[in-house]
Amino acid sequence: MNSLPVLVVGSVAIDDVETPFGKMENSIGGSAIYFSTACSFFTKVRIVGIAGRDFPKEVIERLHARGVDTTGLTIEDGDTFRWGGRYHQDMNSRDTLYTKLGLFEKFNPELPDEYKNTPLVFLGNIQPSLQLQVMNQMKNYKFVACDTMNLWIETAKNELLKLLKKVNMIIINDSELHDLTGEINIIKGLEKVHNMGPEYVIVKKGENGAYLSHNLELFFTPTYPVKQPIDPTGAGDSFAGGFFGYLSTQNTIDFKTLKKAVIYGNVMGSICVEDFNIQALLRADKKTIEDRYNSIRNMLKI
């Protein structure tokens, strides 16, 4: 079958990133950029976001070259969202050095008419009220997943709970699961999240893999072991891009299909961390992706 188009709504950013392995200033980032770059290996991506005229034109041209539709990417006078961060030695934790919202502070996601019937939708890590705004504009969709973070769980939980009644899946990590449910035990936490609405839940565990839960039917997959991770920024959004990319190629969305999609998500996340920003994703090819997918599949065989 022909692959289905995917819609991503999220941030477009310019980052200053420092890790134990180097430093990159004015680094291209944002959830929508990472997601669309990873997902474009599989299908056509439609992106909704906002950036200033300081955002490099060559990046937009590169997205076009990869088949990404940027009709929904608004470019205005003003500054692109900027973030600065420094990762610790283990790279599982980081310090935020600064956040400058710029134009992102007034981000008001209005979907082009041709986007409103997109079958697959990823709501990147933006305010739950904006994620709900996108959902209210969608006319026909097949599958929707959302991302979130501790800040929104703490400051906008009511809106997040409304959103969870509308989506098929939420993608979170260990700490977000704990903050959302108050549970340390993953099974108890997953049970509470399912009761909030989503049929499917992914719990990302970084370099240790990911859980997929379908009403407490669990699947766990390791990630691909990377010899030298350089920059973990955007790995979660690249995971989501790989996940939705594979999903776009399938006729049926069920637990079996989603298990394979999680593996592809881990593959794209493992590629992302091998260099700063989207550089490793841009260098990747389909053979690398399939080789890593098969490697993870072999890890799961008894």
Side-chain angles (χ1 to χ4, degrees), residues 29-251:
S31 61
I33 299 298
Y34 281 104
F35 178 96
S36 58
T37 305
C39 193
S40 64
F41 281 96
F42 303 85
T43 191
K44 301 291 185 181
V45 185
R46 298 165 173 173
I47 182 173
V48 173
I50 189 169
R53 302 200 187 279
D54 56 342
F55 193 76
K57 291 181 180 179
E58 58 268 25
V59 176
I60 298 175
E61 293 170 357
R62 194 177 293 143
L63 292 175
H64 289 162
R66 299 178 71 88
V68 177
D69 183 343
T70 62
T71 304
L73 176 57
T74 302
I75 306 296
E76 295 184 2
D77 292 330
D79 295 327
T80 301
F81 171 49
R82 287 180 175 262
W83 174 82
R86 180 185 296 120
Y87 287 88
H88 297 181
Q89 188 65 38
D90 64 359
M91 294 214 286
N92 289 319
S93 56
R94 70 187 184 195
D95 298 321
T96 294
L97 303 179
Y98 69 85
T99 301
K100 299 177 181 178
L101 294 177
L103 290 167
F104 194 55
E105 188 171 12
K106 64 173 187 176
F107 181 42
N108 182 37
E110 293 292 336
L111 306 186
D113 287 340
E114 62 268 30
Y115 284 18
K116 294 178 181 178
N117 292 300
T118 309
L120 303 175
V121 183
F122 177 63
L123 303 173
N125 183 9
I126 56 177
Q127 295 96 321
S129 60
L130 298 182
Q131 294 171 317
L132 281 167
Q133 183 176 325
V134 174
M135 290 297 297
N136 291 335
Q137 295 176 67
M138 298 302 299
K139 295 180 179 178
N140 295 293
Y141 54 85
K142 189 175 181 180
F143 190 89
V144 180
C146 70
D147 191 6
T148 194
M149 65 178 179
N150 305 87
L151 175 63
W152 309 134
I153 294 170
E154 295 167 6
T155 64
K157 191 170 184 178
N158 288 338
E159 289 85 357
L160 179 59
L161 292 176
K162 291 177 185 177
L163 175 70
L164 293 183
K165 296 182 185 300
K166 296 177 177 288
V167 301
N168 303 96
M169 169 183 280
I170 182 172
I171 303 175
I172 51 180
N173 61 32
D174 281 330
S175 68
E176 292 158 355
L177 179 68
H178 170 67
D179 285 356
L180 181 59
T181 66
E183 298 288 351
I184 297 177
N185 180 274
I186 189 171
I187 301 300
K188 291 180 179 178
L190 286 168
E191 184 175 23
K192 286 190 174 181
V193 176
H194 284 304
N195 288 336
M196 294 172 184
E199 181 180 1
Y200 300 98
V201 181
I202 289 177
V203 181
K204 299 175 295 182
K205 299 180 73 65
E207 63 184 8
N208 296 315
Y211 280 99
L212 167 68
S213 175
H214 174 228
N215 295 322
L216 295 185
E217 181 182 2
L218 292 179
F219 170 71
F220 176 79
T221 174
T223 192
Y224 181 83
V226 175
K227 183 181 294 185
Q228 184 59 76
I230 300 297
D231 175 17
T233 310
D237 296 301
S238 301
F239 172 101
F243 177 91
F244 268 91
Y246 175 75
L247 211 58
S248 74
T249 68
Q250 302 301 300
N251 287 309

Side-chain angles (χ1 to χ4, degrees), residues 24 229-232 271-280 283:
M24 176 71 74
I230 300 297
D231 175 17
I271 293 172
C272 175
V273 303
E274 292 184 315
D275 206 341
F276 286 98
N277 58 58
I278 57 174
Q279 292 181 100
R283 290 196 303 268

